[in-house]
């Protein structure tokens, strides 16, 4: 839950590849298997939700904030 990390709610919305046109065609469904990566790492990768939670925590720790349109804005200089 983003509110626990940032002190405010951040909404993640589902989208489609057609909303972000790219030069190369993309398959309709292209979830990646993590089997090979799990074998290399020796563990299962974290979920996208946990990755997002960690990323938002890092944004807060660095003193950045999210503006209403979802962009990240630095409140202080980052070395």
């Amino acid at each position: 839950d983003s509110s626990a990390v940032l002190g405010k709610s951040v909404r993640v919305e589902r989208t489609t590849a057609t909303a972000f046109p790219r030069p190369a065609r993309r398959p309709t469904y292209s979830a990646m298997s993590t089997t090979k990566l799990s074998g290399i790492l020796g563990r299962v990768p974290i979920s996208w939700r946990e990755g997002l939670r960690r990323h938002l925590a890092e944004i807060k720790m660095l003193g950045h904030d999210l503006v209403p349109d979802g962009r990240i804005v630095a409140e202080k200089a980052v070395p």
Side-chain angles (χ1 to χ4, degrees):
D1 180 50
S2 62
S3 59
V5 176
L6 294 175
K8 65 177 95 173
S9 180
V10 176
R11 195 168 84 207
V12 177
E13 296 180 7
R14 179 181 298 247
T15 190
T16 64
T18 56
F20 299 92
R22 305 296 306 154
R25 290 187 54 191
R26 301 289 183 240
T28 304
Y29 182 77
S30 61
M32 293 175 25
S33 169
T34 59
T35 304
K36 189 172 184 178
L37 180 61
S38 295
I40 293 168
L41 296 176
R43 63 177 176 80
V44 176
I46 61 172
S47 71
W48 70 267
R49 286 181 177 89
E50 175 60 16
L52 178 59
R53 187 197 66 74
R54 290 181 187 185
H55 184 70
L56 293 174
E58 183 175 352
I59 289 169
K60 184 176 181 179
M61 180 193 72
L62 291 173
H64 297 1
D65 197 9
L66 298 174
V67 294
D69 69 358
R71 292 177 294 123
I72 299 169
V73 178
E75 292 179 352
K76 62 182 180 185
V78 178

